Amino acid sequence: MVSAEELISVRHEVDIAPAGIAGFAAIMADGETRELSPELSRIIARVIRTLALNGSVTVGSLPDELTSNTAAEVMGVSRPTLLKMAKAGDIDSFKVGSHTRFKRDDVMNLKAKREVARKAAMMDLLEIRDELENHK
């Protein structure tokens, strides 16, 4: 859990870095400063941005192949909805015996794509609201 004071600090750091964070360094136990790899820096930056936006973040790992139940949970949709999306070609799937499976990267990419579309729709709605308020 992050305290309210820590969250304020995280949000401040994100606000003062409008161009984004390029990388991170770690101070080792012996005092040496070591630059972190670009991959690890991207993960840390993503955690910080998510924390600043949402107030919380959960870090975990997922296997390369997901069951339909797990994929649906990650996507935030019902299992039947996910299977309809697969049938419509919105996301690739494959069978293991009689069970439908999804690649983690496909699930995460579709989730991100849907989030971008959701945010764009929200911005459109806010613009319409503002236009309607200005015409009163």
Side-chain angles (χ1 to χ4, degrees):
M1 295 297 292
V2 177
S3 72
E5 292 169 355
E6 291 168 327
L7 185 55
I8 289 169
S9 176
V10 167
R11 287 180 173 152
H12 174 73
E13 291 298 326
V14 169
D15 287 344
I16 64 172
I21 298 169
F24 291 92
I27 301 173
M28 309 310 287
D30 63 3
E32 174 192 357
T33 300
R34 184 180 308 159
E35 188 173 322
L36 301 180
S37 70
E39 296 83 9
L40 184 53
S41 291
R42 278 193 296 277
I43 291 168
I44 294 169
R46 188 176 316 148
V47 166
I48 291 170
R49 282 192 309 274
T50 301
L51 182 59
L53 287 172
N54 300 328
S56 67
V57 67
T58 302
V59 178
S61 64
L62 291 170
D64 291 338
E65 295 180 4
L66 305 177
T67 65
S68 56
N69 285 329
T70 301
E73 184 178 326
V74 168
M75 290 281 302
V77 299
S78 69
R79 181 178 174 276
T81 297
L82 178 65
L83 293 176
K84 286 177 188 174
M85 295 166 90
K87 189 174 182 179
D90 296 333
I91 185 169
D92 291 333
S93 66
F94 57 97
K95 293 283 191 175
V96 175
S98 63
H99 301 282
T100 304
R101 298 286 188 261
F102 298 86
K103 291 186 179 180
R104 177 194 59 227
D105 291 345
D106 291 342
V107 170
M108 299 308 290
N109 289 337
L110 181 57
K111 180 180 179 179
K113 183 179 173 182
R114 287 170 47 94
E115 183 62 27
V116 167
R118 195 173 7 259
K119 286 181 181 179
M122 178 58 86
M123 295 305 294
D124 289 345
L125 286 172
L126 291 173
E127 284 181 28
I128 292 168
R129 181 200 64 189
D130 291 346
E131 287 176 19
L132 289 173
E133 287 179 357
N134 289 336
H135 286 29
K136 286 184 178 180

